[in-house]
């Protein structure tokens, strides 16, 4: 069923959608052909993460691993958590969107450890 949804999404909307989570963060990413712009909550990624080079580098990892730099634009809606958790959730969402786009990318992304969700959550106060 997911395969037919991916084909429908591409044919009708022109983008690939995926969801990424980390701690209390949820990131919904849309991957479409473009020039490499990453927009997070209607702001450029550089502005959203206030120029944090390490967080911006984390967002670029799926593109670098697949050698797809400056070929796709990404629009992300993210909510919850802090900046580091948001960057991890966005990275996971982008990697999953690449898999929806092309199933052949799955092995490469899995070897680079980009498809696994970090299951750690905040422990409750006792």
């Amino acid at each position: 069923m997911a395969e037919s949804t991916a084909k429908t999404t591409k044919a009708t909307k022109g983008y690939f959608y995926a969801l990424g989570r980390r701690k209390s963060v949820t990131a919904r990413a849309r991957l479409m052909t473009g020039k490499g712009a990453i927009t997070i909550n209607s702001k450029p990624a550089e502005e959203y993460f206030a120029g944090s080079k390490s967080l911006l580098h984390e967002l670029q990892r799926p593109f670098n691993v697949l050698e797809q730099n400056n070929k796709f634009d990404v629009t992300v809606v993210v909510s919850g958590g802090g900046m580091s958790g948001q960057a991890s959730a966005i990275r996971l969402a982008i990697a999953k969107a690449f898999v929806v786009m092309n199933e052949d990318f799955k092995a490469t992304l899995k070897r680079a450890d980009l498809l696994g969700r970090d299951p750690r959550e905040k422990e409750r106060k006792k």
Side-chain angles (χ1 to χ4, degrees):
M1 183 169 166
E3 188 173 89
S4 63
T5 304
K7 290 178 183 176
T8 305
T9 302
K10 176 60 178 167
T12 59
K13 302 209 186 326
Y15 63 83
F16 299 98
Y17 171 83
L19 181 80
R21 289 194 174 111
R22 167 85 164 90
K23 291 188 175 180
S24 62
V25 181
T26 301
R28 299 180 310 243
R30 288 182 175 182
L31 184 71
M32 60 208 92
T33 56
K35 297 183 178 183
I38 299 177
T39 307
I40 304 169
N41 292 347
S42 302
K43 293 182 182 178
E46 294 81 16
E47 182 182 332
Y48 188 80
F49 286 122
S52 173
K53 299 239 186 273
S54 63
L55 296 178
L56 292 172
H57 178 69
E58 186 171 351
L59 296 183
Q60 292 295 329
R61 282 193 60 208
F63 297 102
N64 294 338
V65 168
L66 296 173
E67 297 173 356
Q68 299 290 325
N69 293 331
N70 301 324
K71 293 182 182 177
F72 295 96
D73 287 344
V74 180
T75 304
V76 181
V77 177
V78 65
S79 61
M83 290 297 176
S84 179
Q86 286 184 353
S88 296
I90 292 168
R91 184 193 71 195
L92 177 60
I94 291 170
K96 283 181 165 183
F98 271 119
V99 172
V100 169
M101 182 180 77
N102 186 348
E103 198 65 35
D104 298 335
F105 290 152
K106 187 172 186 175
T108 305
L109 290 168
K110 197 153 185 124
R111 271 195 308 273
D113 200 27
L114 293 174
L115 286 180
R117 181 187 186 276
D118 190 347
R120 294 178 292 173
E121 294 282 341
K122 184 176 179 183
E123 189 173 356
R124 72 175 185 86
K125 186 174 184 286
K126 297 180 197 65

